[in-house]
Amino acid sequence: MKGNLFIMAMLGLSIFQLDAQKQINCLIHPTTINAGLDGWNLEWDEGTFILQTEDDVIKVVNSNSSAAMKGKFQQRFTASVNGRYTLTFKAKKDASAGQKIEINLLALDSWANISSVKAVATIDSNEWKDYVVTFQYSDDARVVMPHGAQVEMYVAGVVGNLWFKDFVLTEDNNNLTAYEDGFETDISTGTNGGETNNWVGERLQLLKQGGNTVLEYTQGDTFGNAPWDISFTRYLWCMAGVKYRIWFDMSASTSISAENGVGLEMLSTGGADKIANQYFNLTQEMQTFDLITKATSLCINYNPTFYVGRVPVGEKVYIDNFSIAPIYLYNVTQELVEGAAKVKLTWLHSGYLTEDKLAVYLVGENYEEKVVEGIEIVDGSATVALPVGLPTGQYRLKLADVVGEGDFAVGNETLTEPFQYMAPTTGINDVDEVQANVFVDDGMLCVTNCPEGSEVSVFSLDGKEVRKLTVDKMVETISLESGVYVVRADGRTFKVAL
């Protein structure tokens, strides 16, 4: 990288700090008890124990010291499609013998096990010890659901008390985590033996359209005085604070305008929280529609619902490839590229589509600088160059998506772990000679790597020279008022903010 270098120093301002662990942890409240339905909570009124917190420790207290515990405690999270999960934690006991616990992942929409077997851990130490258990989706229809799920910690049969801390649930699946109804297999309409994982509504059927299977809705003879009440819907258990990506193909047997046509709403059960509301211009040709919801405010069932009451009597609507995914950007890791001032980033993602972009920022102790933008999120990895002349120090890279607008802007951010960068003593970014560099430190403008006797000029943004000096030491420091300046040093130009 040659020529101009932009350094934005945010001295005097509070730097936005992001909890890196929270970004990689699928558990929203790993150290909290009864935070609504998002923290650790007991299984209804069952169980012969209570939960207590001690700082960041979850303590499981036996209510009857003379008998073994009965029951489980749990915390919810947003599951992905075909996920592979690892749960790590520290634990200890006060009983003399080792205490066996079972751990399970449960799907909230059907209350079915996600994994084919429960994980088992034996708490065998009276001091803190690390534990790791892994889960893989069982081979059934659950591989196509992004519904809410929960971690279940079974303490049935445990004697004495247990302590847990540092819960982290991570996912090592970099696939697009979306539920897709292709309607080709394993889909039915309405309820079937209590199964809720279906489209529910009147006058629905699956139809072969050419070689493809679509969901068909046919308008009845009349829709009465409340056309907005005619709809079909499906079931989705959501976590609070999540935005969803919904996309699908839709057409009709006749052209229908958005002003008097078919709409999609996504509401919580009871209608208290509406996170999507959009109507569509339909034609006889299949079109793909794509929308982003607002963030959910509840941990409860939500229903993506098509309102079709204004469709003309006898006409039909066709839907195919309905997909929905929670939008996440997380589990970012970084690796310095040997021999170059570059970093390779790898991240997991969910719910992003081709052409969705992210920007990368370099974050230091007293500044934050955008180093690249316009990276496609679905690529899952990128190599970015660090700024020329970057001083030795500890840094992080922040990834921020740039998807959607207004209420529907996604706004996900995640940080890498800190890394130590060592500035080369000779050669910067493959340049044979050390070049001049300008940066800000403790409110002072600093100039380095200039030949002794060379001149440094500082200009205001309107071109007026405000300071000129001759370099006579390795690091020249210049005191200036707050503002933005252009600095000319050893033939290079810099733009600096104090």
Side-chain angles (χ1 to χ4, degrees), residues 159-180:
V159 176
N161 304 311
L162 298 175
W163 289 260
F164 297 89
K165 68 177 181 178
D166 297 345
F167 280 106
V168 177
L169 178 68
T170 57
E171 178 191 356
D172 64 348
N173 180 5
N174 202 23
N175 296 327
L176 182 67
T177 56
Y179 188 111
E180 180 175 340

Side-chain angles (χ1 to χ4, degrees), residues 282-455:
L282 300 185
T283 67
Q284 292 179 341
E285 293 185 3
M286 275 285 189
Q287 303 174 76
T288 299
F289 299 96
D290 169 26
L291 62 99
I292 296 172
T293 72
K294 297 180 181 179
T296 54
S297 61
L298 304 170
C299 179
I300 199 172
N301 305 338
Y302 280 74
N303 298 88
T305 301
F306 284 97
Y307 288 90
V308 290
R310 295 182 183 275
V311 172
V313 172
E315 299 294 349
K316 302 176 183 294
V317 172
Y318 308 99
I319 295 177
D320 198 11
N321 301 317
F322 182 92
S323 300
I324 186 166
I327 305 180
Y328 284 137
L329 176 67
Y330 58 107
N331 278 31
V332 62
T333 60
Q334 89 287 327
E335 178 184 356
L336 281 168
V337 178
E338 186 175 355
K342 297 180 180 180
V343 178
K344 182 179 180 181
L345 296 164
T346 304
W347 61 87
L348 301 185
H349 58 85
S350 167
Y352 293 95
L353 300 178
T354 301
E355 298 184 355
D356 285 344
K357 301 293 193 296
L358 62 80
V360 180
Y361 297 80
L362 180 67
V363 180
E365 182 179 359
N366 291 315
Y367 74 92
E368 180 176 309
E369 175 191 353
K370 183 187 292 184
V371 293
V372 68
E373 61 183 342
I375 297 176
E376 283 201 359
I377 299 174
V378 294
D379 288 345
S381 65
T383 299
V384 301
L386 299 175
V388 172
L390 185 65
T392 294
Q394 190 177 79
Y395 299 92
R396 291 185 178 200
L397 290 171
K398 182 178 77 174
L399 278 63
D401 66 35
V402 286
V403 181
E405 297 179 354
D407 290 340
F408 305 98
V410 181
N412 285 325
E413 294 181 338
T414 186
L415 284 170
T416 67
E417 293 300 312
F419 63 91
Q420 187 71 23
Y421 175 75
M422 298 296 295
T425 55
T426 60
I428 299 177
N429 287 3
D430 302 321
V431 178
D432 292 335
E433 60 183 6
V434 178
Q435 294 179 305
N437 187 32
V438 173
F439 60 96
V440 175
D441 185 25
D442 197 23
M444 303 288 286
L445 181 67
C446 300
V447 182
T448 63
N449 298 337
C450 286
E452 187 176 346
S454 62
E455 291 186 341

Side-chain angles (χ1 to χ4, degrees), residues 70-370:
K70 174 186 176 182
K72 64 185 177 182
F73 64 100
Q74 60 212 10
Q75 182 168 161
R76 294 176 174 176
F77 68 98
T78 297
S80 70
V81 173
N82 200 26
R84 296 185 297 272
Y85 295 94
T86 299
L87 179 68
T88 62
F89 57 91
K90 289 182 171 65
K92 64 179 182 177
K93 63 177 179 62
D94 60 7
S96 57
Q99 302 298 310
K100 185 178 75 172
I101 62 171
E102 293 182 331
I103 308 170
N104 191 31
L105 301 185
L106 186 77
L108 299 184
D109 70 319
S110 62
W111 306 108
N113 294 338
I114 289 179
S115 182
S116 55
V117 295
K118 296 177 182 177
V120 177
T122 299
I123 313 303
D124 55 5
S125 174
N126 293 89
E127 303 296 331
W128 289 113
K129 182 178 176 180
D130 293 317
Y131 295 88
V132 179
V133 293
T134 58
F135 303 90
Q136 172 71 44
Y137 271 121
S138 56
D139 295 329
D140 62 13
R142 296 296 135 203
V143 299
V144 292
M145 67 112 188
H147 291 291
Q150 64 187 25
V151 177
E152 300 185 327
M153 309 287 291
Y154 290 83
V155 295
V158 169
V159 176
N161 304 311
L162 298 175
W163 289 260
F164 297 89
K165 68 177 181 178
D166 297 345
F167 280 106
V168 177
L169 178 68
T170 57
E171 178 191 356
D172 64 348
N173 180 5
N174 202 23
N175 296 327
L176 182 67
T177 56
Y179 188 111
E180 180 175 340
D181 282 346
F183 303 113
E184 301 303 317
T185 59
D186 197 33
I187 285 291
S188 61
T189 57
T191 57
N192 181 16
E195 172 61 59
T196 57
N197 194 25
N198 299 292
W199 289 96
V200 179
E202 297 181 0
R203 296 185 289 278
L204 289 177
Q205 67 173 356
L206 296 180
L207 175 73
K208 278 289 185 181
Q209 201 172 66
N212 196 39
T213 302
V214 299
L215 182 66
E216 177 195 70
Y217 168 79
T218 304
Q219 188 60 274
D221 294 336
T222 179
F223 45 68
N225 295 321
W228 48 86
D229 288 339
I230 298 179
S231 64
F232 57 91
T233 187
R234 65 166 306 122
Y235 174 97
L236 183 72
W237 196 300
C238 297
M239 299 296 292
V242 179
K243 293 188 178 184
Y244 286 82
R245 189 69 164 272
I246 303 174
W247 65 104
F248 52 89
D249 299 329
M250 186 163 56
S251 66
S253 57
T254 185
S255 294
I256 304 174
S257 68
E259 291 76 18
N260 194 34
V262 175
L264 173 68
E265 291 188 355
M266 188 165 171
L267 304 94
S268 62
T269 297
D273 186 28
K274 181 187 293 186
I275 61 173
N277 181 27
Q278 186 170 335
Y279 284 76
F280 310 95
N281 292 309
L282 300 185
T283 67
Q284 292 179 341
E285 293 185 3
M286 275 285 189
Q287 303 174 76
T288 299
F289 299 96
D290 169 26
L291 62 99
I292 296 172
T293 72
K294 297 180 181 179
T296 54
S297 61
L298 304 170
C299 179
I300 199 172
N301 305 338
Y302 280 74
N303 298 88
T305 301
F306 284 97
Y307 288 90
V308 290
R310 295 182 183 275
V311 172
V313 172
E315 299 294 349
K316 302 176 183 294
V317 172
Y318 308 99
I319 295 177
D320 198 11
N321 301 317
F322 182 92
S323 300
I324 186 166
I327 305 180
Y328 284 137
L329 176 67
Y330 58 107
N331 278 31
V332 62
T333 60
Q334 89 287 327
E335 178 184 356
L336 281 168
V337 178
E338 186 175 355
K342 297 180 180 180
V343 178
K344 182 179 180 181
L345 296 164
T346 304
W347 61 87
L348 301 185
H349 58 85
S350 167
Y352 293 95
L353 300 178
T354 301
E355 298 184 355
D356 285 344
K357 301 293 193 296
L358 62 80
V360 180
Y361 297 80
L362 180 67
V363 180
E365 182 179 359
N366 291 315
Y367 74 92
E368 180 176 309
E369 175 191 353
K370 183 187 292 184

